Every structure is written in C-alpha cells, then in structure tokens.
Amino acid sequence: MNLDFEKKGSWWVAEFEATDDFNLHIERAGGGNIAIYQTSVPGTKFDYVRTLNQGINDDVVDTAIIVPIPPMTIKIESKSMPTLAVATFRS
C-alpha cells in the first residue's frame, strides 16, 4: 500500500489502518525528524512508539512492525516530504 502524506503545519503526515504485521519503507530527500505513532482505539490519542523511532534523522526507514491485535491505526509525521512510502502487509 502506498502511503499518501499531507502537509499539516510544518509536518508531512500520513495515517493508515494496519490489519496485520507489515513492513514500512520510507525514503526522504531531506533529513529531519520522523515520528511513528499508533493507537488501537479509533478516534483516540496516538502513542509515540519509542522502539520504532531510532535513527530519526535517517533518509531511509525500513522496518518490520508486528501488529499483535489488529486493527491498529498508524500515524507517521516527517519534517521532510517522503519521496516514497510503502506499507507491505504479510497477508
């Protein structure tokens, strides 16, 4: 699934529903912070996922994410616009 980012304030933001384990691949032309959040209850506040936010200034993020009890809503915020962002689900 290709992820679509929208400019919100000074951040580029994408949200999607994770229905199973997935791999997240993001490429960015510029650095800057990137943050990954999750919530298991639709319409509630997101939690900052500390274990996924290492190397936050990297131009490329490629990581596998386990979703133990789907669905889970994922939000990604990036200071620079992603040039490629894909979530590939296991099933």
Side-chain angles (χ1 to χ4, degrees):
M1 157 193 320
N2 289 327
L3 304 179
D4 295 319
F5 282 78
E6 292 181 27
K7 185 77 167 174
K8 293 186 178 181
S10 63
W11 292 90
W12 290 91
V13 180
E15 288 185 25
F16 65 98
E17 185 176 273
T19 56
D20 200 349
D21 299 346
F22 66 98
N23 189 74
L24 181 63
H25 183 90
I26 301 172
E27 297 179 8
R28 305 179 304 153
N33 290 345
I34 186 166
I36 302 171
Y37 301 86
Q38 70 182 31
T39 184
S40 58
V41 180
T44 63
K45 293 181 180 180
F46 284 86
D47 182 34
Y48 178 78
V49 185
R50 284 160 187 79
T51 56
L52 295 177
N53 288 288
Q54 300 173 11
I56 58 174
N57 288 312
D58 293 349
D59 290 341
V60 176
V61 173
D62 193 293
T63 188
I65 299 173
I66 296 171
V67 180
I69 302 175
M72 178 102 34
T73 304
I74 306 294
K75 177 169 74 170
I76 303 163
E77 295 181 339
S78 175
K79 275 295 191 182
S80 59
M81 185 179 82
T83 56
L84 176 67
V86 178
T88 304
F89 288 87
R90 179 172 56 165
S91 56

